[in-house]
């Protein structure tokens, strides 16, 4: 199994967690992106699950734990991976929620606490001149977009993530970039209030997203 295969499993785990948040109408302020139980539910056996954790822990040690999502002058947004061994809250069969909601939902869903679990958390972090100014759990952010009626953009983010991992992005995928642009435009006032430059069109959107800009040769 190649590195990109493990990353694909991580993306699938994120969206499995998101689906759970939507179905159970959870806030999901700070849930893990994946756990061993989620990976197992997606089809990985114990051998590959151990390989999964070894891979991401090594990436963390080597400092390869972030991807730049947006860059404009001194403002940078990154998706950063944090690997933890901690206690997590569990609702059968494969729902893992944050501690904020654990006690609130214990009677409704019979949630349980699992100790010493391997977990990955993914955060979107914003920096101004290398100073952290915002940190948001990626699943929480996706859930918020869904709640605000941006289901198409949430789906486009998954498709673009998969295609970038598999190096299979084509011109036909421009529609997903258009969805991102429309969402940025819809929330332009809120974004400008925290100092984020909103692109004028789809081409400029690509220029501001380093991974897409590199693929398009900008």
């Amino acid at each position: 199994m190649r590195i990109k295969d493990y990353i694909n499993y991580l993306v699938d785990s994120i969206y499995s967690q998101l689906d759970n948040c939507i179905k159970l109408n959870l806030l999901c302020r700070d849930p893990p992106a994946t756990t061993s139980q989620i990976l197992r539910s997606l089809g990985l056996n114990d051998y590959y699950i151990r390989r999964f954790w070894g891979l991401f822990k090594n990436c963390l040690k080597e400092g390869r734990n972030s991807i730049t999502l947006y860059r404009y002058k001194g403002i940078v947004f990154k998706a950063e991976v944090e690997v933890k061994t901690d206690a997590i809250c569990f609702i059968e069969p494969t729902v893992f929620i944050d501690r904020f909601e654990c006690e609130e939902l214990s009677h409704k869903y019979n949630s349980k606490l699992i100790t010493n679990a391997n977990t990955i958390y993914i955060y979107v972090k914003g920096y101004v001149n290398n100073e952290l100014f915002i940190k948001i759990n990626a699943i929480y952010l996706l859930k918020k977009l869904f709640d605000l009626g941006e289901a198409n953009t949430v789906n486009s983010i998954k498709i673009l993530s998969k295609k970038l991992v598999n190096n299979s992005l084509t011109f036909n995928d421009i529609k997903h970039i258009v969805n991102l642009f429309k969402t940025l435009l819809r929330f332009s006032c809120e974004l400008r209030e925290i100092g984020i430059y909103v692109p004028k069109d789809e081409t400029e959107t690509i220029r501001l997203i380093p991974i897409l800009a590199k693929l398009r040769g900008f």
Side-chain angles (χ1 to χ4, degrees):
M1 190 175 290
R2 295 165 293 182
I3 292 176
K4 70 177 185 180
D5 296 321
Y6 289 107
I7 298 174
N8 273 309
Y9 274 106
L10 178 57
V11 174
D12 288 338
S13 293
I14 291 168
Y15 277 82
S16 173
Q17 281 284 75
L18 176 62
D19 287 344
N20 289 328
C21 293
I22 293 169
K23 289 175 184 176
L24 299 180
N25 195 29
L26 306 175
L27 289 175
C28 285
R29 285 162 286 195
D30 193 29
T34 195
T35 67
S36 293
Q37 288 91 331
I38 294 174
L39 293 171
R40 194 171 289 110
S41 74
L42 294 173
L44 282 183
N45 61 31
D46 289 344
Y47 170 77
Y48 286 114
I49 289 172
R50 287 193 297 271
R51 291 283 302 273
F52 178 95
W53 293 116
L55 170 69
F56 280 96
K57 287 177 181 178
N58 284 336
C59 287
L60 193 65
K61 289 178 183 177
E62 295 169 2
R64 296 186 291 121
N65 68 319
S66 67
I67 297 173
T68 300
L69 302 174
Y70 169 101
R71 184 188 300 276
Y72 182 76
K73 296 184 178 180
I75 298 176
V76 177
F77 279 84
K78 297 181 179 181
E80 298 192 9
V81 174
E82 295 185 11
V83 181
K84 304 177 183 179
T85 302
D86 60 2
I88 50 176
C89 199
F90 171 65
I91 300 173
E92 293 184 355
T94 55
V95 184
F96 291 86
I97 59 178
D98 55 66
R99 293 189 181 185
F100 298 109
E101 291 187 284
C102 191
E103 292 185 8
E104 300 169 16
L105 299 173
S106 60
H107 299 296
K108 185 175 182 180
Y109 294 111
N110 193 27
S111 58
K112 303 171 183 177
L113 198 65
I114 300 176
T115 59
N116 297 319
N118 283 321
T119 59
I120 282 180
Y121 288 78
I122 298 181
Y123 296 100
V124 175
K125 297 182 181 181
Y127 298 86
V128 176
N129 298 323
N130 296 320
E131 293 289 332
L132 179 69
F133 78 94
I134 191 169
K135 176 181 177 180
I136 306 173
N137 186 291
I139 295 171
Y140 175 77
L141 184 58
L142 290 170
K143 176 64 163 47
K144 275 296 179 185
L145 285 172
F146 180 87
D147 290 343
L148 291 167
E150 298 294 331
N152 285 339
T153 296
V154 170
N155 188 52
S156 288
I157 291 171
K158 181 179 182 179
I159 292 170
L160 288 172
S161 299
K162 289 270 194 175
K163 286 184 172 289
L164 288 168
V165 169
N166 296 309
N167 196 28
S168 61
L169 197 68
T170 68
F171 181 78
N172 292 329
D173 297 311
I174 192 69
K175 60 187 176 183
H176 301 299
I177 298 169
V178 170
N179 283 339
L180 290 177
F181 169 69
K182 288 180 178 178
T183 297
L184 290 172
L185 201 61
R186 179 184 173 189
F187 299 106
S188 59
C189 292
E190 292 84 353
L191 293 171
R192 289 191 182 102
E193 285 180 3
I194 59 175
I196 299 175
Y197 174 76
V198 178
K200 299 181 179 66
D201 53 34
E202 293 88 344
T203 300
E204 194 172 16
T205 301
I206 295 172
R207 289 181 184 275
L208 294 176
I209 302 174
I211 297 174
L212 297 178
K214 185 178 179 179
L215 288 172
R216 293 295 299 272
F218 290 163

